[in-house]
Amino acid sequence: MEVQMFDNVFDALADTPAEAANMKARSELLSALKARIRSWDLPQEAAAGRLGITRPRLNDLLQGKLAKFSLDALVNLATASGLTVHVQVAEAA
């Protein structure tokens, strides 16, 4: 059995480099959102209202259910939470 090494878990999980990049970006946004929402110290219903989503949708986010959120949805939620999103583009290594 051949052992493979990857730079990050998303490279191992994804079928393509583009898919891995998308998963990594979504993961970073989801993590930042979770921290932001928890800093509010609000009940889930109130936090969901602040973001314009349902409480079950907020619960999915707080549980880290990455597959349930597109990059676009996470950018919109980050903006609604008061975060600023910056995209950094660089040459592939």
Side-chain angles (χ1 to χ4, degrees):
M1 176 192 239
E2 182 182 333
V3 176
Q4 293 181 307
M5 301 293 289
F6 297 94
D7 290 334
N8 64 62
V9 68
F10 302 113
D11 289 335
L13 294 173
D15 292 329
T16 66
E19 185 181 356
N22 185 285
M23 290 174 75
K24 184 177 180 193
R26 287 187 295 134
S27 175
E28 289 177 15
L29 275 168
L30 190 131
S31 181
L33 272 163
K34 285 170 57 175
R36 177 64 154 210
I37 293 162
R38 288 192 172 121
S39 77
W40 294 340
D41 197 28
L42 294 173
Q44 282 193 6
E45 194 69 40
R50 187 181 281 191
L51 294 171
I53 59 176
T54 64
R55 195 215 43 83
R57 183 86 167 137
L58 176 69
N59 192 43
D60 287 341
L61 190 146
L62 294 174
Q63 294 295 317
K65 295 183 179 179
L66 190 62
K68 292 193 172 209
F69 295 91
S70 68
L71 185 55
D72 194 45
L74 290 167
V75 168
N76 292 341
L77 289 169
T79 302
S81 77
L83 295 173
T84 302
V85 177
H86 296 277
V87 176
Q88 181 180 358
V89 179
E91 292 286 332

